[in-house]
Amino acid sequence: MLLQLNIQNFAIVRSLDIDWQAGMTTITGETGAGKSIAIDALGLCLGDRATTNIVRPNCKKADLAATFETKKNKMAKAWLKKHELLAEHDSECILRRVISAEGRSKSYINGSQVPLVQLKEIGQLLINIHGQHDHQLIVKANQQCRLLDNFANHPRLLSEVKHYAQQWHKLNKELEMLQQSKQQREAEQQLIQYQVTELDEFSLQPDEFTTLEKDYKRHSNAQDLLDSTLSSLQILSENDNFNILDSLRECSENISSIARVDNQLNDVATILADTLIQLDEANNDLKHYYQQLELDPQSYAIIEERYSTALQLAKKHQLSPEKLVNFHSELKQQLASISGDETRINTIIEELELTKQHYYESAAALSASRIKSAQSLSKRISKSMQELNMPHGQFYIAVESNKLQDNHTPNDCNKGKEPISTNGADNISFQVSINPGQALEAMHKVASGGELSRISLAMQVILADKVITPTLIFDEVDVGISGPTAAMVGKKLQQLSKNTQVICVTHLPQVACKGHQQLFVSKTTDGELTETHVSELSESNRVKEIARLLAGDKISQHSLANAQELLAS
């Protein structure tokens, strides 16, 4: 419940502290005094949009803070714990909003700065505000559906219907995109298939091009390799007149011989011996290489053709020959993906039908729950209407379900033929009859503003036990009501306050007298600035205020007696 509201430099309020009690609190005051100012300040604490003109003139900022008790509010405590915003004394929650004269604002929960959206989230678990124009909303179809669903209390069914509807629309959108791009995919598939077939026929293997390149260079220069190798062998060992190996061997033997006489030549002898060994190995390797070299025109033709083809394909696809194998693999994957799109189309159509079946099963269960609850709620609202000075009033909630034709195509929903809605397959219509013999019709056609206000209030009272918030605020919801009807409205609000904290801004004495606490709003001015004040009325001052509401500015003994009688009742 709401415990305290602190307002600093807000509109025509300089400084204000309000302590709230359990039960029912009524707020009264003269017209224009600012009776709704506390409600407006609370709205900002709960995340309403702020404007620059809300800051009191000549002030830098407005500072608003609301303190709530959360001891029995499990959902609010769970939210605070989840977001690590529990206060040291976890039975309280303080929402604060600071708004600068330039329009910038900062939001706080239990002293920690938070995004504005978090104020809205926690606010929905703490308080529920019904404005003076809320009765105008109940003529709207979406609001009527929401009110019925709140009364029916079937969140699981709503969640299932929403899930299948969202899944259906997602699949339908994917199918539409695939079908729209089908012609483009088919053209792309033909091109890629041609490229893959060409590369399949060539069948270049990993690292094959590197080998081809080496073999091509060797075969194309085979004669030069033979001539150069033979010439080198002649110099090394094959020339009988003079060759390097024989000369080096003779030199090595001579030095080794004289090194036995003078050991200073040992190192030279060793170097010559090692060099002779290395040259001998090089000579043997060169002989082996020479013997392996072949001038095979047939092999060369095959290598040359394959090497040339690889270069042509690489140039055709604008990449290096070394990347042809990876490119071939990527094309195969693209082709498989395109083929998979066609398979996906068939799969989506099957999934759409299955999802549609699940949707309408859930929607049918939701419709049954709505119809059952509509019957009960219709009776209760009819009874409340009769209590609120509409003795012949009848209220009826019509629930009509849309039927699906089996021959609809999957994307008919986009054309308005298949209304798969996240809110179910029902059209909800609130219908009333005010006078005897009058047929039931849509509310906005037969109910006046005052009658709509009373019907709205009846709904709010009936639905209050379905609301999760421990505090309900009614901001002049009794507009257009007077006399015995006003007394009944006050009685209903007082009944509601037995289980819920009720705060009501009113101008009706029959409502004001039902409060366990009454606050009076007044304003003063020095000719330049105006200031609003809120004070809690004592018993004697309550009598005077109720008398003022009854009689106007001239309070008589008769109006005082009437006020005492109202309070006593």
Side-chain angles (χ1 to χ4, degrees):
M1 61 173 279
L2 178 63
L3 297 177
Q4 189 180 48
L5 179 64
N6 178 268
I7 306 174
Q8 302 292 328
N9 301 321
F10 173 63
I12 56 175
V13 173
R14 182 177 58 82
S15 180
L16 195 61
D17 275 303
I18 306 175
D19 293 320
W20 306 86
Q21 296 180 9
M24 180 175 172
T25 296
T26 56
I27 303 175
T28 62
E30 297 179 358
T31 301
K35 293 189 294 296
S36 297
I37 205 156
I39 312 302
D40 295 337
L42 266 175
L44 288 169
C45 287
L46 300 172
D48 284 354
R49 182 174 175 270
T51 56
T52 55
N53 61 358
I54 65 172
V55 180
R56 184 173 169 81
N58 303 321
C59 295
K60 293 182 178 180
K61 63 181 180 180
D63 198 328
L64 314 165
T67 303
F68 296 86
E69 181 186 298
T70 57
K71 187 175 182 180
K72 297 180 181 179
N73 193 333
K74 294 181 180 179
M75 295 186 69
K77 290 182 72 173
W79 188 95
L80 291 167
K81 186 176 181 180
K82 176 184 175 182
H83 293 85
E84 299 180 350
L85 292 169
L86 273 176
E88 185 177 347
H89 303 290
D90 61 1
S91 62
E92 289 187 358
C93 174
I94 301 174
L95 306 185
R96 182 176 172 226
R97 187 90 176 270
V98 180
I99 303 161
S100 71
E102 293 80 22
R104 295 186 298 271
S105 76
K106 293 182 180 179
S107 309
Y108 301 87
I109 298 178
N110 288 331
S112 299
Q113 188 170 349
V114 297
L116 185 61
V117 66
Q118 290 195 344
L119 278 188
K120 293 182 179 180
E121 289 177 6
I122 187 64
Q124 292 173 359
L125 304 176
L126 296 171
I127 201 166
N128 199 332
I129 299 177
H130 300 274
Q132 57 182 302
H133 302 296
D134 278 4
H135 67 274
Q136 297 172 1
L137 297 176
I138 64 172
V139 301
K140 298 183 182 297
N142 60 341
Q143 180 74 354
Q144 292 176 357
C145 187
R146 186 184 68 81
L147 289 169
L148 177 59
D149 286 336
N150 284 345
F151 179 78
N153 193 24
H154 42 212
R156 182 184 61 80
L157 291 174
L158 287 170
S159 179
E160 284 183 3
V161 167
K162 183 178 181 180
H163 167 74
Y164 289 123
Q166 289 176 337
Q167 186 177 9
W168 194 93
H169 285 289
K170 181 181 178 181
L171 288 168
N172 197 64
K173 186 175 181 180
E174 184 182 355
L175 176 62
E176 186 177 7
M177 290 176 63
L178 288 173
Q179 289 176 334
Q180 287 176 350
S181 60
K182 185 174 182 180
Q183 186 174 358
Q184 179 182 350
R185 273 199 325 278
E186 287 175 349
E188 186 179 359
Q189 185 179 24
Q190 290 178 357
L191 173 62
I192 295 177
Q193 182 63 67
Y194 169 78
Q195 292 173 331
V196 167
T197 301
E198 186 178 44
L199 291 170
D200 280 345
E201 291 174 354
F202 184 57
S203 189
L204 187 68
Q205 301 302 308
D207 299 324
E208 182 187 352
F209 181 77
T210 303
T211 304
L212 273 175
E213 191 171 35
K214 291 178 181 178
D215 290 346
Y216 174 78
K217 288 179 179 179
R218 185 172 63 253
H219 280 79
S220 61
N221 294 281
Q223 190 60 54
D224 289 341
L225 292 173
L226 283 170
D227 294 343
S228 296
T229 303
L230 181 60
S231 174
S232 297
L233 284 172
Q234 287 289 327
I235 295 171
L236 278 172
S237 61
E238 300 297 328
N239 193 321
D240 293 335
N241 296 324
F242 174 83
N243 62 71
I244 292 175
L245 275 175
D246 288 346
S247 299
L248 183 59
R249 187 176 292 107
E250 181 180 354
C251 180
S252 176
E253 289 173 354
N254 290 335
I255 297 301
S256 295
S257 176
I258 62 176
R260 287 193 289 270
V261 177
D262 187 351
N263 58 12
Q264 291 185 51
L265 294 172
N266 284 340
D267 290 343
V268 176
T270 301
I271 292 172
L272 288 172
D274 292 341
T275 302
L276 182 61
I277 292 172
Q278 290 178 344
L279 279 176
D280 194 42
E281 289 177 355
N283 182 66
N284 291 333
D285 290 344
L286 197 57
K287 280 183 180 180
H288 180 72
Y289 174 79
Y290 179 76
Q291 292 168 357
Q292 294 293 106
L293 277 175
E294 295 182 6
L295 289 175
D296 184 352
Q298 187 175 0
S299 297
Y300 175 54
I302 294 172
I303 292 170
E304 183 181 31
E305 180 184 4
R306 193 158 179 77
Y307 178 70
S308 176
T309 303
L311 291 176
Q312 290 172 2
L313 287 171
K315 184 178 181 180
K316 179 178 181 179
H317 296 292
Q318 298 181 340
L319 44 78
S320 63
E322 292 83 0
K323 295 181 179 179
L324 270 176
V325 173
N326 287 337
F327 178 68
H328 186 195
S329 177
E330 289 171 1
L331 285 178
K332 285 183 176 179
Q333 291 176 5
Q334 290 181 31
L335 190 62
S337 176
I338 294 173
S339 301
D341 285 344
E342 296 302 315
T343 304
R344 179 60 181 158
I345 287 177
N346 296 327
T347 302
I348 289 176
I349 292 174
E350 293 175 1
E351 289 179 0
L352 277 168
E353 290 302 315
L354 185 61
T355 301
K356 184 172 66 177
Q357 180 181 344
H358 288 321
Y359 171 82
Y360 275 96
E361 287 173 357
S362 299
L366 178 61
S367 295
S369 178
R370 282 172 171 167
I371 291 169
K372 181 179 178 181
S373 297
Q375 294 170 349
S376 174
L377 184 56
S378 296
K379 291 178 182 178
R380 294 180 64 174
I381 294 178
S382 294
K383 182 180 178 181
S384 289
M385 286 172 63
Q386 293 160 13
E387 292 172 345
L388 292 171
N389 203 24
M390 289 181 278
H392 303 288
Q394 293 294 323
F395 187 89
Y396 179 72
I397 301 176
V399 181
E400 297 180 0
S401 298
N402 297 308
K403 299 299 181 182
L404 178 70
Q405 299 297 325
D406 292 335
N407 60 351
H408 282 175
T409 59
N411 58 359
D412 277 345
C413 183
N414 292 338
K415 304 172 185 176
K417 298 179 181 178
E418 193 171 14
I420 291 187
S421 165
T422 56
N423 205 32
D426 302 316
N427 293 320
I428 311 296
S429 174
F430 286 5
Q431 301 174 2
V432 296
S433 171
I434 306 297
N435 302 308
Q438 185 182 44
L440 288 163
E441 288 195 60
M443 282 195 306
H444 67 279
K445 293 183 178 180
V446 295
S448 65
E451 288 166 340
L452 280 176
S453 180
R454 279 177 274 168
I455 295 170
S456 175
L457 181 61
M459 289 181 188
Q460 291 165 7
V461 173
I462 292 169
L463 295 172
D465 60 344
K466 303 292 184 179
V467 178
I468 61 173
T469 55
T471 300
L472 291 172
I473 294 181
F474 296 92
D475 186 8
E476 295 194 22
V477 294
D478 49 15
V479 171
I481 298 172
S482 60
T485 306
M488 181 55 70
V489 168
K491 183 179 178 181
K492 284 188 173 293
L493 289 173
Q494 190 180 57
Q495 289 174 349
L496 184 59
S497 69
K498 291 179 180 179
N499 300 315
T500 306
Q501 183 186 34
V502 174
I503 298 170
C504 180
V505 177
T506 184
H507 65 283
L508 297 177
Q510 298 92 333
V511 175
C513 69
K514 297 297 182 181
H516 303 98
Q517 176 190 31
Q518 185 170 344
L519 302 178
F520 179 71
V521 182
S522 61
K523 66 179 179 180
T524 59
T525 180
D526 59 5
E528 294 183 3
L529 292 176
T530 301
E531 187 171 339
T532 289
H533 305 274
V534 177
S535 58
E536 183 175 354
L537 296 178
S538 63
E539 287 300 318
S540 60
N541 286 333
R542 283 194 76 180
V543 173
K544 293 178 182 178
E545 173 61 6
I546 298 299
R548 185 191 68 79
L549 292 172
L550 284 166
D553 293 335
K554 294 181 180 181
I555 300 175
S556 64
Q557 290 299 321
H558 181 67
S559 61
L560 287 171
N562 284 344
Q564 288 177 330
E565 185 179 350
L566 277 175
L567 285 168
S569 68

